[in-house]
Amino acid sequence: MKGSRPISREVSASLSHHILPNAGTMIGVCVTLVGLVKIVELQIGHSHVDEYAALTALLFLVSALTSYLSMRLAAESQHAARLERIADLCFVAGLLALVGITTLFAYETI
């Protein structure tokens, strides 16, 4: 295709450098959510929000680990690119899950 440029590994490598710290931050958000829900459950009764938030934290953990491993591997490695793609997909899935969980919790559905 004329005019289109392939994505360089240099641009892609910077993605892992952004995913890793943000995934760590999002793990902290999920852990905080679990703690707050445990406190609120005393007043509103049992809900599954804490369980879903813990599962979402695992998605962010997979994202952080694969992002870290992709940075540790050689830049030209196919494995590094694949790990970075997994990190990206897990991070976005975790964000979507967290938004879904908080929306359902806000409307007291779960």
Side-chain angles (χ1 to χ4, degrees), residues 38-58:
K38 290 293 186 188
I39 292 170
V40 171
E41 277 183 343
L42 298 173
Q43 297 173 352
I44 66 170
H46 181 71
S47 73
H48 296 286
V49 175
D50 53 341
E51 297 159 9
Y52 299 141
L55 291 174
T56 303
L58 289 176

mmCIF file of all heavy atoms in Angstrom, residues 38-58:
data_model
loop_
_atom_site.group_PDB
_atom_site.id
_atom_site.type_symbol
_atom_site.label_atom_id
_atom_site.label_comp_id
_atom_site.label_asym_id
_atom_site.label_seq_id
_atom_site.Cartn_x
_atom_site.Cartn_y
_atom_site.Cartn_z
ATOM 1 N N LYS A 38 -15.381 -4.393 50.700
ATOM 2 C CA LYS A 38 -15.472 -5.177 51.935
ATOM 3 C C LYS A 38 -16.021 -4.330 53.080
ATOM 4 O O LYS A 38 -16.794 -4.823 53.900
ATOM 5 C CB LYS A 38 -14.100 -5.747 52.317
ATOM 6 C CG LYS A 38 -13.607 -6.827 51.405
ATOM 7 C CD LYS A 38 -14.470 -8.060 51.537
ATOM 8 C CE LYS A 38 -13.886 -9.195 50.737
ATOM 9 N NZ LYS A 38 -14.783 -10.348 50.688
ATOM 10 N N ILE A 39 -15.644 -3.071 53.128
ATOM 11 C CA ILE A 39 -16.164 -2.177 54.170
ATOM 12 C C ILE A 39 -17.639 -1.879 53.939
ATOM 13 O O ILE A 39 -18.451 -1.916 54.862
ATOM 14 C CB ILE A 39 -15.337 -0.871 54.213
ATOM 15 C CG1 ILE A 39 -13.922 -1.167 54.701
ATOM 16 C CG2 ILE A 39 -16.008 0.166 55.108
ATOM 17 C CD1 ILE A 39 -12.967 -0.008 54.564
ATOM 18 N N VAL A 40 -18.006 -1.612 52.701
ATOM 19 C CA VAL A 40 -19.387 -1.258 52.366
ATOM 20 C C VAL A 40 -20.325 -2.461 52.506
ATOM 21 O O VAL A 40 -21.497 -2.298 52.829
ATOM 22 C CB VAL A 40 -19.453 -0.668 50.931
ATOM 23 C CG1 VAL A 40 -20.872 -0.485 50.468
ATOM 24 C CG2 VAL A 40 -18.708 0.649 50.879
ATOM 25 N N GLU A 41 -19.805 -3.664 52.282
ATOM 26 C CA GLU A 41 -20.645 -4.861 52.382
ATOM 27 C C GLU A 41 -21.247 -5.031 53.770
ATOM 28 O O GLU A 41 -22.287 -5.659 53.911
ATOM 29 C CB GLU A 41 -19.844 -6.120 52.025
ATOM 30 C CG GLU A 41 -19.753 -6.377 50.551
ATOM 31 C CD GLU A 41 -19.026 -7.671 50.221
ATOM 32 O OE1 GLU A 41 -18.314 -8.211 51.101
ATOM 33 O OE2 GLU A 41 -19.168 -8.127 49.084
ATOM 34 N N LEU A 42 -20.616 -4.474 54.788
ATOM 35 C CA LEU A 42 -21.167 -4.548 56.137
ATOM 36 C C LEU A 42 -22.503 -3.826 56.223
ATOM 37 O O LEU A 42 -23.363 -4.204 57.015
ATOM 38 C CB LEU A 42 -20.175 -3.966 57.148
ATOM 39 C CG LEU A 42 -18.826 -4.682 57.268
ATOM 40 C CD1 LEU A 42 -17.894 -3.898 58.188
ATOM 41 C CD2 LEU A 42 -19.015 -6.103 57.751
ATOM 42 N N GLN A 43 -22.682 -2.795 55.392
ATOM 43 C CA GLN A 43 -23.911 -2.009 55.422
ATOM 44 C C GLN A 43 -24.928 -2.443 54.371
ATOM 45 O O GLN A 43 -26.128 -2.430 54.627
ATOM 46 C CB GLN A 43 -23.596 -0.530 55.233
ATOM 47 C CG GLN A 43 -22.757 0.035 56.340
ATOM 48 C CD GLN A 43 -22.318 1.452 56.043
ATOM 49 O OE1 GLN A 43 -22.513 1.964 54.962
ATOM 50 N NE2 GLN A 43 -21.690 2.086 57.020
ATOM 51 N N ILE A 44 -24.455 -2.816 53.186
ATOM 52 C CA ILE A 44 -25.388 -3.111 52.088
ATOM 53 C C ILE A 44 -25.604 -4.598 51.843
ATOM 54 O O ILE A 44 -26.484 -4.974 51.082
ATOM 55 C CB ILE A 44 -24.920 -2.466 50.763
ATOM 56 C CG1 ILE A 44 -23.613 -3.082 50.280
ATOM 57 C CG2 ILE A 44 -24.828 -0.970 50.891
ATOM 58 C CD1 ILE A 44 -23.227 -2.682 48.879
ATOM 59 N N GLY A 45 -24.837 -5.431 52.480
ATOM 60 C CA GLY A 45 -24.951 -6.867 52.264
ATOM 61 C C GLY A 45 -23.938 -7.367 51.253
ATOM 62 O O GLY A 45 -23.156 -6.607 50.696
ATOM 63 N N HIS A 46 -24.004 -8.661 51.008
ATOM 64 C CA HIS A 46 -23.020 -9.316 50.149
ATOM 65 C C HIS A 46 -23.185 -8.907 48.687
ATOM 66 O O HIS A 46 -24.296 -8.760 48.193
ATOM 67 C CB HIS A 46 -23.162 -10.832 50.277
ATOM 68 C CG HIS A 46 -22.181 -11.589 49.459
ATOM 69 N ND1 HIS A 46 -20.842 -11.626 49.765
ATOM 70 C CD2 HIS A 46 -22.331 -12.320 48.331
ATOM 71 C CE1 HIS A 46 -20.224 -12.355 48.870
ATOM 72 N NE2 HIS A 46 -21.100 -12.796 47.983
ATOM 73 N N SER A 47 -22.062 -8.720 48.027
ATOM 74 C CA SER A 47 -22.043 -8.500 46.582
ATOM 75 C C SER A 47 -20.827 -9.219 46.008
ATOM 76 O O SER A 47 -19.940 -9.641 46.749
ATOM 77 C CB SER A 47 -21.983 -7.010 46.234
ATOM 78 O OG SER A 47 -20.710 -6.499 46.498
ATOM 79 N N HIS A 48 -20.779 -9.345 44.710
ATOM 80 C CA HIS A 48 -19.673 -10.039 44.055
ATOM 81 C C HIS A 48 -18.649 -9.071 43.468
ATOM 82 O O HIS A 48 -17.740 -9.500 42.763
ATOM 83 C CB HIS A 48 -20.215 -10.936 42.936
ATOM 84 C CG HIS A 48 -21.086 -12.038 43.449
ATOM 85 N ND1 HIS A 48 -20.575 -13.134 44.092
ATOM 86 C CD2 HIS A 48 -22.427 -12.204 43.431
ATOM 87 C CE1 HIS A 48 -21.556 -13.936 44.436
ATOM 88 N NE2 HIS A 48 -22.692 -13.392 44.061
ATOM 89 N N VAL A 49 -18.783 -7.798 43.754
ATOM 90 C CA VAL A 49 -17.900 -6.790 43.173
ATOM 91 C C VAL A 49 -16.445 -7.044 43.549
ATOM 92 O O VAL A 49 -15.551 -6.932 42.708
ATOM 93 C CB VAL A 49 -18.329 -5.369 43.603
ATOM 94 C CG1 VAL A 49 -17.357 -4.327 43.101
ATOM 95 C CG2 VAL A 49 -19.722 -5.071 43.106
ATOM 96 N N ASP A 50 -16.207 -7.403 44.804
ATOM 97 C CA ASP A 50 -14.829 -7.644 45.228
ATOM 98 C C ASP A 50 -14.202 -8.816 44.475
ATOM 99 O O ASP A 50 -13.032 -8.774 44.100
ATOM 100 C CB ASP A 50 -14.764 -7.860 46.740
ATOM 101 C CG ASP A 50 -15.723 -8.932 47.235
ATOM 102 O OD1 ASP A 50 -16.675 -9.269 46.510
ATOM 103 O OD2 ASP A 50 -15.521 -9.431 48.364
ATOM 104 N N GLU A 51 -14.986 -9.853 44.215
ATOM 105 C CA GLU A 51 -14.473 -11.003 43.469
ATOM 106 C C GLU A 51 -14.144 -10.621 42.028
ATOM 107 O O GLU A 51 -13.109 -11.017 41.487
ATOM 108 C CB GLU A 51 -15.488 -12.140 43.505
ATOM 109 C CG GLU A 51 -15.748 -12.654 44.917
ATOM 110 C CD GLU A 51 -17.054 -13.387 45.044
ATOM 111 O OE1 GLU A 51 -17.696 -13.664 44.007
ATOM 112 O OE2 GLU A 51 -17.439 -13.692 46.184
ATOM 113 N N TYR A 52 -15.026 -9.858 41.403
ATOM 114 C CA TYR A 52 -14.790 -9.426 40.024
ATOM 115 C C TYR A 52 -13.606 -8.467 39.932
ATOM 116 O O TYR A 52 -12.826 -8.507 38.979
ATOM 117 C CB TYR A 52 -16.041 -8.773 39.431
ATOM 118 C CG TYR A 52 -17.236 -9.696 39.360
ATOM 119 C CD1 TYR A 52 -18.508 -9.235 39.644
ATOM 120 C CD2 TYR A 52 -17.094 -11.037 39.020
ATOM 121 C CE1 TYR A 52 -19.607 -10.073 39.577
ATOM 122 C CE2 TYR A 52 -18.187 -11.876 38.948
ATOM 123 C CZ TYR A 52 -19.444 -11.397 39.225
ATOM 124 O OH TYR A 52 -20.523 -12.226 39.170
ATOM 125 N N ALA A 53 -13.464 -7.604 40.931
ATOM 126 C CA ALA A 53 -12.326 -6.676 40.944
ATOM 127 C C ALA A 53 -11.011 -7.443 41.121
ATOM 128 O O ALA A 53 -9.988 -7.081 40.517
ATOM 129 C CB ALA A 53 -12.495 -5.644 42.054
ATOM 130 N N ALA A 54 -11.029 -8.502 41.911
ATOM 131 C CA ALA A 54 -9.827 -9.318 42.082
ATOM 132 C C ALA A 54 -9.456 -10.011 40.768
ATOM 133 O O ALA A 54 -8.277 -10.094 40.415
ATOM 134 C CB ALA A 54 -10.045 -10.348 43.184
ATOM 135 N N LEU A 55 -10.446 -10.493 40.033
ATOM 136 C CA LEU A 55 -10.178 -11.113 38.728
ATOM 137 C C LEU A 55 -9.639 -10.081 37.740
ATOM 138 O O LEU A 55 -8.753 -10.380 36.933
ATOM 139 C CB LEU A 55 -11.440 -11.769 38.182
ATOM 140 C CG LEU A 55 -11.912 -13.013 38.945
ATOM 141 C CD1 LEU A 55 -13.258 -13.487 38.393
ATOM 142 C CD2 LEU A 55 -10.882 -14.111 38.882
ATOM 143 N N THR A 56 -10.155 -8.870 37.822
ATOM 144 C CA THR A 56 -9.655 -7.797 36.960
ATOM 145 C C THR A 56 -8.208 -7.457 37.315
ATOM 146 O O THR A 56 -7.398 -7.181 36.431
ATOM 147 C CB THR A 56 -10.559 -6.557 37.078
ATOM 148 O OG1 THR A 56 -11.898 -6.921 36.753
ATOM 149 C CG2 THR A 56 -10.112 -5.452 36.144
ATOM 150 N N ALA A 57 -7.882 -7.491 38.597
ATOM 151 C CA ALA A 57 -6.498 -7.250 39.017
ATOM 152 C C ALA A 57 -5.567 -8.303 38.412
ATOM 153 O O ALA A 57 -4.435 -7.988 38.034
ATOM 154 C CB ALA A 57 -6.394 -7.262 40.542
ATOM 155 N N LEU A 58 -6.052 -9.531 38.284
ATOM 156 C CA LEU A 58 -5.243 -10.574 37.649
ATOM 157 C C LEU A 58 -5.000 -10.261 36.171
ATOM 158 O O LEU A 58 -3.918 -10.542 35.650
ATOM 159 C CB LEU A 58 -5.911 -11.937 37.803
ATOM 160 C CG LEU A 58 -5.908 -12.523 39.211
ATOM 161 C CD1 LEU A 58 -6.685 -13.839 39.252
ATOM 162 C CD2 LEU A 58 -4.488 -12.719 39.706
#
